[in-house]
Amino acid sequence: MDNHLILPAFYLPPVSYFRAIQSASLPILIEQYEHYPKQTYRTRAAIYSANGKLDLIVPVQRGHKGHTKMKDVKISYEWNWQRLHWMSLQTAYRSSAYFEYYEDEFLPFYQQKFEWLLDYNVTQLELLLRLLKIERSVGYTESYRQDYAPNVDFRTSIHPKRLNHTGAARPYYQVFENKHGFLADLSIVDLLFNHGPQSKGYL
């Protein structure tokens, strides 16, 4: 398995996630047997709003007892978070160069109800890889394993509260940078909506 990249299933993953994918021409295995960790990119994406960084959070149903495997985490629809997320994306990126070019690709994620968080995130990942023109096969782990080689295991290194994974992020144009400056390692959609087909070259 050390000839695969071991990645968590993130919601609209950050730029550093795709930089990790680009760093090695290896097929991807998505970790589905880890115990679901709270407050990570598995349920949150950071975008650039007019007021600065904005976290979009996907609510999940609470398990009854013990730890829940990632593959068993269900999305909650107790409130209409999809509408809020889509309105936030529109408000943040309507004036960007490529939002209208891509919006029909992303709209179904805010209209259809996915039952499982893993399916939702991986379906998004496959779309993002296609839009970025990154050719990688995507599979799933068959069991939980702790001892992958550090250079292929990204399950814990890319985290909202850990900034060291971003490296020396080269600034790129962002819609509201004149207000708040460049914000590094936002969701990949920030790069995609601002730079379109040039995004892969930035990575």
Side-chain angles (χ1 to χ4, degrees):
M1 293 298 182
D2 290 346
N3 57 349
H4 290 74
L5 285 179
I6 312 302
L7 293 171
F10 284 171
Y11 170 52
L12 298 178
V15 170
S16 57
Y17 186 93
F18 291 90
R19 197 176 289 130
I21 291 173
Q22 281 287 79
S23 70
S25 299
L26 295 173
I28 294 166
L29 282 184
I30 297 296
E31 175 60 78
Q32 61 172 339
Y33 287 98
E34 65 180 354
H35 288 150
Y36 164 71
K38 299 175 183 176
Q39 299 183 349
T40 68
Y41 288 124
R42 289 157 186 81
T43 51
R44 72 177 58 207
I47 65 171
Y48 204 149
S49 76
N51 296 317
K53 183 182 165 192
L54 174 67
D55 283 338
L56 304 179
I57 299 173
V58 177
V60 297
Q61 295 181 17
R62 299 303 260 242
H64 292 295
K65 54 186 174 182
H67 295 290
T68 306
K69 292 185 177 68
M70 182 65 187
K71 71 182 184 65
D72 297 325
V73 175
K74 291 186 175 183
I75 297 174
S76 172
Y77 293 96
E78 287 183 18
W79 58 280
N80 196 355
W81 61 269
Q82 287 176 295
R83 181 173 179 272
L84 177 63
H85 285 206
W86 186 242
M87 287 175 59
S88 298
L89 287 165
Q90 285 182 308
T91 303
Y93 297 110
R94 176 60 70 194
S95 63
S96 67
Y98 292 95
F99 179 79
E100 290 185 5
Y101 184 75
Y102 293 120
E103 67 175 317
D104 288 345
E105 301 270 18
F106 288 93
L107 182 57
F109 292 100
Y110 302 96
Q111 294 177 325
Q112 300 170 18
K113 285 184 165 60
F114 285 70
E115 182 176 8
W116 306 100
L117 178 65
L118 186 72
D119 291 344
Y120 186 64
N121 289 355
V122 173
T123 306
Q124 279 186 341
L125 172 60
E126 289 170 341
L127 168 65
L128 288 161
L129 290 171
R130 176 169 63 80
L131 296 181
L132 291 164
K133 294 182 168 54
I134 298 173
E135 294 184 10
R136 294 285 190 284
S137 65
V138 178
Y140 296 89
T141 57
E142 296 180 357
S143 61
Y144 184 77
R145 190 183 133 190
Q146 203 160 357
D147 60 341
Y148 294 109
N151 63 319
V152 300
D153 186 358
F154 291 92
R155 291 174 297 179
T156 60
S157 60
I158 302 173
H159 193 282
K161 295 178 180 176
R162 212 170 286 137
L163 297 177
N164 58 351
H165 62 267
T166 60
R170 243 176 34 253
Y172 58 85
Y173 171 77
Q174 295 172 319
V175 174
F176 299 111
E177 68 176 302
N178 60 326
K179 289 186 175 184
H180 307 285
F182 175 72
L183 298 183
D185 211 34
L186 299 178
S187 167
I188 190 67
V189 297
D190 183 76
L191 178 63
L192 196 62
F193 293 155
N194 282 307
H195 293 274
Q198 288 79 46
S199 299
K200 183 180 179 180
Y202 172 85
L203 295 170

